[in-house]
Amino acid sequence: MCFKFAIMRPSKYGAFCHILLIITIIIAKTTTVSAQVIDSFDEKGISILSDFKFDSAMVSSYEHLFGLELYVQNKDLKIRHATALSNGHTYDYMPNSNMSVGLGFTYRYLALSAAVNVLPLNNNKELKTRSLDFQSQLAGYRTLSFINAQLYKGFSGDFNKEYNNAGYQVTRPDIGFTLLGLNNMYALNKRYSFRGSVLRFQRMKYAVGTPILAFDANYWVKSGDSAFIASGVDLNHFAANMERMRIWNFALGGGYAYTWVLNKRWLFAGIATVKVPVNFVKERLDEQFTPRENTWIGSGLNASLWLRASYEREDWSISAHYIHSKMLVGKQVFSNEVSGNYGMARLMFSKRIGMTRKFKQAVKPVDAILDVPFKILGIK
């Protein structure tokens, strides 16, 4: 994915991706494991951590449970407002910077990463978007949770060309957007392992698929110093004169997950879900209106797609990821007066590292926190 992007964009982006690839190869060749590494498994081949037990007939595990990650990603975020009359008028808000780089780590069942913008991709030279992207995965054997936080400040607005056969753009450095999301999944097939498909320390031995149950909980806020779309632009627009919108989104549904193992080096995995939500919406209008606030309950649609292609070695891996999620918000099921579209392509290098006794002592507080769910469930 990074190579394709480099070909389609100016040469400086291609050079950036190639430099990252060279750095990851150097790290892979030069990083060594300490001689005093504590094996993650005992002499019988059983994991010393209760949360890392697995079915060895279906899943293989690498020796080391701690890893560092370096990645580059291209993000595409679009918030679309549509007219209530369904006449084709739309207004899109997009940040002015999509390319970002990030660092992360994985330990036991937890993965954390954060990225910041590095290169602007849009042509609006008057606007600089500030953003922070935080992501985490909590992977059990048959359970998986994606946790993410996205914060943006500064958007470009694009009114669709169908409105006046020309369209126009506006610069809105005042508009901010915050998304906090929790996406949970449960595999119905006992032979399927989310750890073996998502994390970097276990891998499925065979191709396995499973139906899944899915539950989402999202909180998002979009706000500006003035209305997103003034009534003078389109009086019948769903968001006319609205300057702040807050949504609590709870969705229940299902989907399918599949992992294809080409050989011991190559692994491909995908997860697709569709959910029907209940949205609790609170709007705030321009100060000329009384009352300014309005609340309503609606529905819409939540859909997501997660794909991974990975090349694995014993202590490192290179993987390409693609994520796309869509959240439709309206006053009826499947309606989309407002929609959020998020897409991301990521190239990642992961290095699995052995833990020395000194390092193991240093992460004891982290172990204590990660052990809490197992103590509550009576596993540890």
Side-chain angles (χ1 to χ4, degrees):
M1 189 64 67
C2 187
F3 296 116
K4 181 178 180 181
F5 176 80
I7 294 173
M8 296 178 63
R9 296 291 179 181
S11 59
K12 63 179 180 179
Y13 301 115
F16 181 78
C17 292
H18 286 106
I19 290 172
L20 177 70
L21 183 60
I22 292 172
I23 292 174
T24 59
I25 293 174
I26 292 174
I27 294 175
K29 293 295 185 180
T30 59
T31 305
T32 57
V33 178
S34 170
Q36 295 183 348
V37 165
I38 298 178
D39 198 331
S40 303
F41 304 90
D42 63 18
E43 63 278 1
K44 297 180 180 179
I46 301 175
S47 171
I48 61 176
L49 301 171
S50 295
D51 57 300
F52 233 72
K53 291 179 179 178
F54 61 96
D55 182 359
S56 59
M58 295 301 301
V59 179
S60 62
S61 185
Y62 296 102
E63 178 181 356
H64 309 305
L65 303 185
F66 181 81
L68 296 176
E69 298 161 352
L70 172 67
Y71 60 89
V72 59
Q73 65 183 22
N74 179 32
K75 296 191 299 180
D76 180 25
L77 173 67
K78 180 185 292 184
I79 304 171
R80 168 165 289 184
H81 297 272
T83 57
L85 299 180
S86 300
N87 56 7
H89 297 185
T90 59
Y91 207 103
D92 298 335
Y93 279 103
M94 297 164 288
N96 198 38
S97 183
N98 298 346
M99 176 67 82
S100 58
V101 295
L103 293 171
F105 75 89
T106 305
Y107 179 54
R108 291 171 60 174
Y109 61 82
L110 174 67
L112 295 173
S113 63
V116 295
N117 286 333
V118 291
L119 295 173
L121 297 185
N122 297 338
N123 296 321
N124 191 338
K125 297 181 180 180
E126 300 178 358
L127 177 65
K128 182 178 180 180
T129 297
R130 293 174 294 169
S131 72
L132 176 64
D133 182 14
F134 170 85
Q135 298 183 33
S136 176
Q137 297 97 45
L138 301 176
Y141 194 86
R142 295 170 61 190
T143 61
L144 175 65
S145 294
F146 286 117
I147 304 171
N148 67 87
Q150 299 180 50
L151 294 87
Y152 292 87
K153 184 72 171 182
F155 281 76
S156 291
D158 185 9
F159 203 85
N160 72 327
K161 294 182 179 181
E162 287 77 7
Y163 176 66
N164 59 3
N165 296 320
Y168 64 90
Q169 291 185 328
V170 296
T171 299
R172 295 292 302 271
D174 61 299
I175 289 182
F177 176 73
T178 299
L179 171 63
L180 307 176
L182 176 62
N183 313 115
N184 305 284
M185 284 158 273
Y186 179 78
L188 298 179
N189 186 349
K190 296 180 179 180
R191 301 170 66 234
Y192 188 87
S193 169
F194 278 119
R195 283 205 190 110
S197 302
V198 176
L199 292 187
R200 265 68 70 186
F201 299 116
Q202 291 187 343
R203 62 187 305 274
M204 301 291 295
K205 290 183 176 180
Y206 308 102
V208 180
T210 178
I212 57 178
L213 300 177
F215 171 75
D216 287 355
N218 297 293
Y219 171 82
W220 73 324
V221 175
K222 180 186 176 186
S223 62
D225 296 339
S226 59
F228 306 142
I229 303 160
S231 59
V233 175
D234 192 343
L235 180 61
N236 296 315
H237 206 286
F238 177 81
N241 298 305
M242 188 188 306
E243 65 179 26
R244 187 177 189 272
M245 187 178 215
R246 185 213 67 194
I247 302 171
W248 285 98
N249 170 275
F250 302 96
L252 185 64
Y256 197 80
Y258 187 81
T259 299
W260 180 44
V261 182
L262 181 62
N263 52 44
K264 68 177 183 179
R265 300 299 184 197
W266 288 97
L267 180 143
F268 302 87
I271 305 171
T273 61
V274 177
K275 293 138 284 189
V276 177
V278 176
N279 295 308
F280 299 89
V281 182
K282 185 175 182 179
E283 305 167 345
R284 187 177 69 200
L285 303 179
D286 188 86
E287 60 183 6
Q288 63 180 305
F289 291 89
T290 304
R292 294 184 62 187
E293 294 187 345
N294 179 39
T295 60
W296 51 275
I297 300 176
S299 188
L301 181 72
N302 288 18
S304 63
L305 175 67
W306 180 90
L307 300 174
R308 174 194 177 196
S310 180
Y311 177 77
E312 302 284 339
R313 304 294 292 186
E314 184 60 33
D315 60 352
W316 62 271
S317 67
I318 294 180
S319 56
H321 303 253
Y322 177 76
I323 300 172
H324 186 84
S325 63
K326 180 184 288 287
M327 189 167 73
L328 307 181
V329 179
K331 296 186 177 181
Q332 298 178 353
V333 178
F334 305 141
S335 60
N336 62 334
E337 286 87 350
V338 180
S339 65
N341 296 275
Y342 171 72
M344 182 192 73
R346 172 184 290 183
L347 178 65
M348 174 184 290
F349 171 78
S350 302
K351 175 65 178 179
R352 290 179 280 270
I353 300 173
M355 296 179 291
T356 64
R357 295 185 182 277
K358 185 176 181 180
F359 184 87
K360 187 64 178 175
Q361 286 291 119
V363 298
K364 271 191 173 182
V366 178
D367 281 327
I369 295 174
L370 297 181
D371 285 343
V372 170
F374 301 97
K375 291 180 180 179
I376 293 175
L377 296 174
I379 299 176
K380 264 189 174 183

